Amino acid sequence: MSDSPTSDAPPRRRSDATKAAILEAARERFAADGYERATIRAIARDAGIDPSMVMRYYGNKEGLFAAASAFDLRLPDVGTLTEPGALPGRQVGAVLVEHFLDRWEADEVLTALLRVGVTNAAGAERMQAVFRDQLGPVAAALSPDPAQAPSRAALVASQILGMALARYVLRLPPAVEMTRQEIVDWLAPTVQRYLTAERP
Amino acid sequence: MSDSPTSDAPPRRRSDATKAAILEAARERFAADGYERATIRAIARDAGIDPSMVMRYYGNKEGLFAAASAFDLRLPDVGTLTEPGALPGRQVGAVLVEHFLDRWEADEVLTALLRVGVTNAAGAERMQAVFRDQLGPVAAALSPDPAQAPSRAALVASQILGMALARYVLRLPPAVEMTRQEIVDWLAPTVQRYLTAERP
DNA sequence: CACTCATGTCAACGACTGTAGGCCAACATT
DNA sequence: AATGTTGGCCTACAGTCGTTGACATGAGTG
């Protein structure tokens, strides 16, 4: 080992900047065009390098997508949501809807994931995994009956994904024109009910 | 004019069967693969004819999609939904959710429309038009404030499209495993509220 | 019968795709 | 300075795509 600043952090390579540029361009293209129309050549052009570099660093197109779509929803900790006295005056539904809007508008990864997941098996699996592993625990902690947790998570996912689809992908004009606050006000009770209501 | 049974109905041509076979194969492929991966060659193979026939009858791939994705939601008449005493013991929300599930499972046109709309501009526009022109009037008739009708229609669309996305496209396991009745029971109050509630 | 036109097949073109491999320059290490 | 390694570009291949046009065949009509 020559230089390890802390523990076993990989050394900074000169190619890190290039790799990052490729990933950023890939996310933009996947988000804008979906899997098939986002060509390696176009991504390389955006990143200002040669297409063969993409192959060198990510193996093939699937590997590139896997690297570009790594994603953490960063949902608030379950404990934070359930401990008594948390969220003063706020409901879980509103917190979650706002958080999802934040995550959706922060970068283009979720849009890419959605656009790709619709026509690509790997993308669909990753979308499944994100909602199962990251939203699932929240539903499990809030659901009155633990056995219902997966269904409740799927219901929340359906409403969140549906709004994202309408607003960020299909761009239905009324969905685009609604203010952030209007969306939160309408969707929060829905999400709240899907997670916590005793019966439909 | 040689033969016009009623008014100006086009004469039955021998190629009608071929055209229909092409459209059916196109709908299947577009629904299963999306726009880019649904190739004219594959569609022609499914229909048992030569790819050039597709070009002859529909001009190009866009024309084929336009013909294959013509769609009528067949929503219940607005009058039927609003007249006093209609829907004995039923809520509008439940009727609409059931109707949407029916339409989604009846054929593959809506799935094709959704899969294509996510990556293809023409598909997105058609999806917009379907919900604007066919769901919009229902929202206008039910909304307390006519000015809110487009927003309310978009909210309903977001929940319906989201469930269709989760259940028929992404196939999130919990969404697939839910029974039809469970979905209706959970979504109906949401749709009902989006259409008729005074305030969020 | 001959003629016409709709229906269908076949072969090909040009463009674009993912991917592979060879070559070159800059750098780090000895 | 010599050497091995890393980062990068260029060219090329094999395959697929949408699309085109020439050609064959059949039915229908005079």
Side-chain angles (χ1 to χ4, degrees):
Chain A
M1 300 183 185
S2 50
D3 59 328
S4 62
T6 56
S7 58
D8 58 344
R12 293 197 185 283
R13 299 189 174 278
R14 203 155 42 92
S15 58
D16 285 353
T18 303
K19 292 188 189 177
I22 293 175
L23 282 190
E24 190 188 331
R27 281 190 266 261
E28 283 182 22
R29 285 284 178 176
F30 282 130
D33 297 337
Y35 191 78
E36 339 284 331
R37 283 182 32 211
T39 69
I40 290 185
R41 284 171 156 90
I43 292 168
R45 201 179 322 127
D46 290 355
I49 46 94
D50 189 88
S52 64
M53 302 302 300
V54 177
M55 305 299 297
R56 186 195 291 273
Y57 291 133
Y58 298 102
N60 54 27
K61 193 176 180 180
E62 277 198 33
L64 172 62
F65 173 73
S69 63
F71 189 70
D72 184 354
L73 266 182
R74 293 186 213 156
L75 285 176
D77 192 26
V78 175
T80 309
L81 288 173
T82 53
E83 69 187 10
L87 315 175
R90 313 281 325 270
Q91 298 270 41
V92 198
V95 173
L96 284 179
V97 173
E98 289 198 335
H99 183 83
F100 273 111
L101 289 177
D102 283 342
R103 293 304 284 137
W104 224 283
E105 291 170 359
D107 53 51
E108 293 172 293
V109 182
L110 269 176
T111 304
L113 220 39
L114 179 50
R115 270 225 165 84
V116 172
V118 165
T119 46
N120 178 273
E125 278 175 33
R126 179 159 294 236
M127 196 99 224
Q128 280 188 27
V130 166
F131 278 84
R132 168 169 34 84
D133 301 338
Q134 304 187 36
L135 181 58
V138 176
L142 294 172
S143 168
D145 176 3
Q148 294 179 331
S151 299
R152 292 174 183 269
L155 287 163
V156 173
S158 81
Q159 177 59 94
I160 296 294
L161 285 173
M163 178 51 77
L165 181 73
R167 185 175 170 93
Y168 303 120
V169 174
L170 295 180
R171 298 192 198 282
L172 308 188
V176 174
E177 288 156 12
M178 286 178 81
T179 69
R180 181 193 175 83
Q181 192 58 48
E182 284 176 309
I183 294 179
V184 173
D185 289 343
W186 279 108
L187 261 50
T190 301
V191 171
Q192 178 87 21
R193 186 169 63 85
Y194 289 164
L195 286 174
T196 64
E198 284 290 337
R199 294 265 97 197
Chain B
M1 302 180 185
S2 51
D3 58 328
S4 61
T6 55
S7 58
D8 58 344
R12 293 197 186 281
R13 301 191 173 278
R14 201 156 44 94
S15 58
D16 286 353
T18 303
K19 292 187 189 177
I22 293 176
L23 282 191
E24 188 188 333
R27 279 191 266 261
E28 282 181 23
R29 286 283 177 175
F30 281 131
D33 297 338
Y35 190 79
E36 337 286 332
R37 284 182 32 210
T39 69
I40 290 185
R41 284 172 154 92
I43 292 169
R45 199 179 323 127
D46 289 355
I49 46 95
D50 190 88
S52 63
M53 301 302 297
V54 178
M55 306 300 297
R56 187 194 291 275
Y57 290 133
Y58 297 102
N60 54 28
K61 193 176 179 179
E62 277 197 35
L64 172 61
F65 173 73
S69 64
F71 189 71
D72 184 354
L73 268 181
R74 293 185 214 157
L75 285 175
D77 192 24
V78 175
T80 310
L81 289 172
T82 52
E83 69 188 9
L87 314 173
R90 315 279 327 272
Q91 298 271 38
V92 198
V95 172
L96 284 178
V97 173
E98 289 197 337
H99 183 85
F100 273 111
L101 289 176
D102 283 342
R103 293 304 282 137
W104 224 283
E105 291 169 359
D107 53 51
E108 293 173 293
V109 182
L110 269 177
T111 304
L113 220 41
L114 179 49
R115 270 225 166 83
V116 172
V118 165
T119 46
N120 180 274
E125 277 175 33
R126 180 160 294 237
M127 196 98 222
Q128 280 188 25
V130 166
F131 278 83
R132 169 169 33 85
D133 301 339
Q134 303 187 37
L135 181 58
V138 175
L142 292 173
S143 168
D145 175 3
Q148 294 179 330
S151 299
R152 291 172 182 270
L155 287 163
V156 173
S158 81
Q159 177 59 96
I160 296 295
L161 286 174
M163 177 51 76
L165 180 73
R167 186 175 170 93
Y168 304 119
V169 175
L170 296 180
R171 298 190 198 282
L172 307 188
V176 174
E177 289 156 12
M178 286 177 80
T179 68
R180 181 193 174 84
Q181 192 58 48
E182 286 177 308
I183 294 179
V184 173
D185 289 343
W186 278 107
L187 294 197
T190 301
V191 171
Q192 178 88 22
R193 188 168 63 84
Y194 288 164
L195 285 174
T196 64
E198 284 290 337
R199 294 265 97 196

